[in-house]
Amino acid sequence: MQLLVTGGNGFIGRRVCRRAVSDGHDVTSVARSGPPATEKRGPWAEAVDWHAADVFAPHEWRDTLAGVDCVVHSIGTLDESPTQGVTLERLNGDTAVVAALEAERVGVDRFVYVSSSTKPPGVRDAYIDARRRAEAAIADLQLSVVVPRFGPVYGPDQPHFSTLTNALVATLGRWEPLARRLGDDRPFSVEQASTAIYRLAVDDTVPTGPVSAPALATLATGQPQ
């Protein structure tokens, strides 16, 4: 398959790229800063077409959609810098709408929008409002839309968590009986999350619309939850 990952140099996106490359797929990443930092890429990164472009400027990257079977949209943020145009509404919601419309325009078959089950503590309600608004806006487009909703995602170099928060979330996520009790908001490791996203991108038959924690856990582990 031919995959395009928006935000492919990020925490989740680059792991989706790595997995897809390892399985022999053609992979393109679209991200403002191009490829990941040197220390965050391995030999697999040489097989990715790293395209530096702003999702809000489709003329900079729409040519990369030619022949693409699935777009994985993994752009998001918990941090804001309004003077630089970085807000919860724009990054978590508007980017998905722009990317999905471009994908629909050229006939991409599937669009995987990496969303969230809830807003993190201390983050404005605009975070989850933007996610849900984008989900609703792209639900009826003329392509298959898949929306994995993750709780907190932990792992090495998590950009939005402190070291302590990352460790606490990891403890909850690794203790399966407790993780299950958290329901749709259960934590996932970044490797689990990227595996589930990858499967939603390439499997022949996948659910459409929102995909919640139990189904995501099954996709991540291969074991019924």
Side-chain angles (χ1 to χ4, degrees):
M1 290 179 63
Q2 189 165 337
L3 304 182
L4 186 146
V5 182
T6 55
N9 63 1
F11 179 55
I12 293 175
R14 70 175 179 272
R15 290 172 167 92
V16 175
C17 290
R18 184 186 65 196
R19 176 63 185 275
V21 164
S22 70
D23 279 359
H25 301 291
D26 294 327
V27 183
T28 299
S29 164
V30 172
R32 285 192 299 176
S33 54
T38 302
E39 67 273 13
K40 294 179 180 178
R41 45 181 147 138
W44 60 270
E46 298 179 5
V48 178
D49 180 10
W50 301 103
H51 195 84
D54 186 343
V55 169
F56 287 116
H59 65 280
E60 295 181 355
W61 60 275
R62 61 167 53 108
D63 287 350
T64 65
L65 286 165
V68 166
D69 300 296
C70 177
V71 172
V72 174
H73 185 76
S74 65
I75 294 174
T77 189
L78 300 182
D79 305 314
E80 297 186 277
S81 180
T83 59
Q84 298 179 354
V86 178
T87 66
L88 299 179
E89 292 88 346
R90 279 173 59 80
L91 268 292
N92 297 300
D94 295 345
T95 57
V97 176
V98 171
L101 287 171
E102 288 296 317
E104 179 192 46
R105 186 181 66 82
V106 300
V108 171
D109 293 328
R110 188 180 300 177
F111 187 87
V112 180
Y113 170 37
V114 182
S115 190
S116 304
S117 62
T118 188
K119 79 174 187 69
V123 177
R124 290 196 298 120
D125 288 343
Y127 173 85
I128 198 65
D129 291 344
R131 295 289 197 194
R132 296 295 179 264
R133 173 174 51 79
E135 290 175 16
I138 67 178
D140 295 327
L141 296 183
Q142 297 302 305
L143 73 173
S144 175
V145 175
V146 187
V147 184
R149 289 179 175 175
F150 290 98
V153 179
Y154 61 89
D157 63 30
Q158 220 292 1
H160 304 297
F161 293 170
S162 68
T163 300
L164 177 59
T165 298
N166 194 54
L168 289 173
V169 174
T171 299
L172 294 174
R174 290 169 182 153
W175 191 11
E176 185 60 27
L178 179 56
R180 289 187 184 185
R181 289 178 65 88
L182 295 174
D184 287 345
D185 300 331
R186 63 170 294 165
F188 283 87
S189 74
V190 67
E191 295 299 337
Q192 291 172 328
S194 59
T195 295
I197 293 163
Y198 169 73
R199 294 257 58 94
L200 290 172
V202 304
D203 283 359
D204 290 337
T205 302
V206 297
T208 57
V211 185
S212 59
L216 293 172
T218 298
L219 287 164
T221 64
Q223 300 294 324
Q225 299 293 306

